[in-house]
Amino acid sequence: MCITMCARGSSSRCALRLKLHDQRVRDIQRQVREWRKDGRKTYMCTGRPGWLTVSLRVGKYKKTHKNIMINMMDILEVDTEKQVVRVEPLANMGQVTALLNSIGWTLPVVPELDDLTVGGLVMGTGIESSSHIYGLFQHICVAFELVLADGSLVRCTEEENSDLFHAVPWSCGTLGFLVAAEIKIVPAKSWVKLHYEPVRGLENISKRFAEASENKQNTFVEGLQYTLDTAVIMTGTMTDHAEPDKINRIGLHFQPWFFKHVESHLKGDRTGVEYIPLRQYYHRHTRSIFWELQDIIPFGNNPVFRWLFGWMVPPKISLLKLTQGETIRKLYEQHHVVQDMLIPMKHMQEAITRFHQDINVYPLWLCPFRLPPGRGMVHPKGQEEELYVDIGAYGEPRVKHFEAKASMRQLEKFVRDVHGFQMLYADVYMEREEFWEMFDGQLYHRLRDELGCKEAFPEVYDKICKSARH
């Protein structure tokens, strides 16, 4: 059986949707060819305003580059026989999970925030608590369709245009314009049975987290670390049946913020089991933007505020960026950390100690993922699959005399030394040579030469490094 986005409508509407997609692709090709005809005076970039992106970085290249308008936010097809969904790049996680869950399917990896787009997750990266089984978001993608620098449309898979397929993830739009992606889907169940386990002692936390991550019987694995020596490790499985007295609908607007609810198990030193609706589990940190909202609305978790005004949160990150003045932005940059570092699991204990010494931000988000060997920008050092952990630090550093550039450069060096990776949505302080020490640029640079990208798009380092904003 093949279900499409228009399954509840007519086949003519489905055909119209695909026809409109083809028209939008042709319009992008036209814009690229016009850029070439006009003499290729500047680099190209997408015309989507910088404030609309979920990344806190505000790149100024949009004002100097040729803006290619890409208005593509549809879910095109859901094929339950092949178990894939085909989507346009601006379709977001909230939109995709709402549709798929309604017909009994889901993505194997659903990165947390509703507004994260497929294009951002392909060209950047994405991760979730199921990544210890499925890998990063790029690893559940089976095909990409791109408009290249010469205006041609190409489709790439593991078998077709394989080099480009492997080079696209983490390239941040510097190899071509993504116009569609095909992504694996899996059957969904109604509930997540979630087990909470408070753990004390850093060595014990690291050991217990690695054990949970290696156990493929756990559909979901996640840790929230509240101090250097205390954490709650959560393991979950999907199920169609829930014990009525253990149901917790965490997505309701008056419910406590999820990270505070998790912390109650630590404070009470108690394990627990709950049943959470699947889609509410996927977006469990969305209402509080993980724990960033406590710095923006300090009283936001107050029961009275939640009952009366909880339906108003979270504010859109795009709105926060749009209304943020330059002075506030610079203060935030110097006194706030938003970073995700991907570390081999065997170095987890050492890494958390370094995070504590260099920035001292809590809670820390701990999310395991498998990293298969490959030839793109991000892969293990050897030729075998390796288990990694994403350590996410979001908040105000508590180390004395924190200095953003110096502190982050120390942390970046540690990550390079253990063959880890830094997510590129965040501030990057590395020099060019350090950046290409962290990431494998061999295939990326070869394809930029072959596909004529050097005059069409900036190098990924120039696009995301700090100097790109000045």
Side-chain angles (χ1 to χ4, degrees), residues 155-200:
R155 183 175 186 269
C156 52
T157 67
E158 189 69 64
E159 294 79 28
E160 179 185 9
N161 297 309
S162 178
D163 283 350
L164 184 57
F165 178 72
H166 284 276
V168 163
W170 295 76
S171 66
C172 298
T174 61
L175 291 172
F177 295 107
L178 184 73
V179 294
E182 290 176 31
I183 311 166
K184 293 176 187 174
I185 58 175
V186 293
K189 295 184 179 179
S190 302
W191 304 90
V192 172
K193 181 181 181 182
L194 194 63
H195 180 264
Y196 303 84
E197 179 188 356
V199 186
R200 300 179 188 277

Side-chain angles (χ1 to χ4, degrees), residues 78 104 116 120 155 195 222 335 352 367 377 407 452 456:
V78 180
L116 289 170
R155 183 175 186 269
H195 180 264
E222 175 185 30
H335 301 284
I352 291 172
C367 186
M377 283 176 60
S407 298

Side-chain angles (χ1 to χ4, degrees), residues 160-383:
E160 179 185 9
N161 297 309
S162 178
D163 283 350
L164 184 57
F165 178 72
H166 284 276
V168 163
W170 295 76
S171 66
C172 298
T174 61
L175 291 172
F177 295 107
L178 184 73
V179 294
E182 290 176 31
I183 311 166
K184 293 176 187 174
I185 58 175
V186 293
K189 295 184 179 179
S190 302
W191 304 90
V192 172
K193 181 181 181 182
L194 194 63
H195 180 264
Y196 303 84
E197 179 188 356
V199 186
R200 300 179 188 277
L202 181 56
E203 184 178 349
N204 198 28
I205 292 167
S206 303
K207 180 173 178 290
R208 182 70 193 91
F209 187 76
E211 289 172 352
S213 304
E214 286 164 0
N215 183 357
K216 299 293 177 68
Q217 298 301 308
N218 295 323
T219 311
F220 306 104
V221 178
E222 175 185 30
L224 297 186
Q225 183 130 1
Y226 290 92
T227 68
L228 181 62
D229 293 307
T230 61
V232 177
I233 294 173
M234 289 162 278
T235 54
T237 53
M238 275 199 279
T239 177
D240 280 325
H241 305 285
E243 299 175 50
D245 59 334
K246 293 181 180 177
I247 289 174
N248 185 2
R249 300 182 187 275
I250 61 172
L252 298 176
H253 74 270
F254 51 81
Q255 290 278 34
W257 288 344
F258 185 67
F259 77 98
K260 287 293 188 185
H261 171 64
V262 174
E263 190 178 22
S264 69
H265 288 83
L266 184 65
K267 290 181 174 178
D269 199 24
R270 57 185 170 81
T271 60
V273 173
E274 291 180 335
Y275 293 82
I276 299 171
L278 177 63
R279 191 156 183 264
Q280 292 186 19
Y281 172 80
Y282 280 147
H283 302 295
R284 63 202 175 281
H285 295 300
T286 294
R287 276 195 307 129
S288 56
I289 318 178
F290 283 83
W291 28 94
E292 289 279 63
L293 207 59
Q294 66 182 350
D295 292 333
I296 301 168
I297 309 175
F299 47 83
N301 197 47
N302 180 284
V304 176
F305 180 88
R306 291 201 313 267
W307 269 103
L308 296 177
F309 304 110
W311 55 273
M312 296 174 64
V313 299
K316 292 281 188 182
I317 293 176
S318 55
L319 177 65
L320 296 175
K321 289 172 69 176
L322 183 63
T323 57
Q324 186 182 65
E326 188 67 13
T327 303
I328 296 296
R329 188 189 65 75
K330 286 183 177 177
L331 280 171
Y332 194 79
E333 187 178 284
Q334 288 300 318
H335 301 284
H336 201 88
V337 167
V338 180
Q339 292 281 350
D340 282 85
M341 300 293 189
L342 312 181
I343 309 288
M345 185 69 78
K346 61 192 175 190
H347 295 293
M348 176 176 163
Q349 184 175 339
E350 183 186 359
I352 291 172
T353 302
R354 287 301 300 263
F355 269 71
H356 182 80
Q357 292 169 351
D358 292 345
I359 55 176
N360 194 8
V361 169
Y362 291 100
L364 291 174
W365 189 52
L366 307 175
C367 186
F369 68 99
R370 67 173 190 87
L371 188 61
R375 54 188 190 276
M377 283 176 60
V378 171
H379 55 76
K381 197 167 186 176
Q383 293 303 309

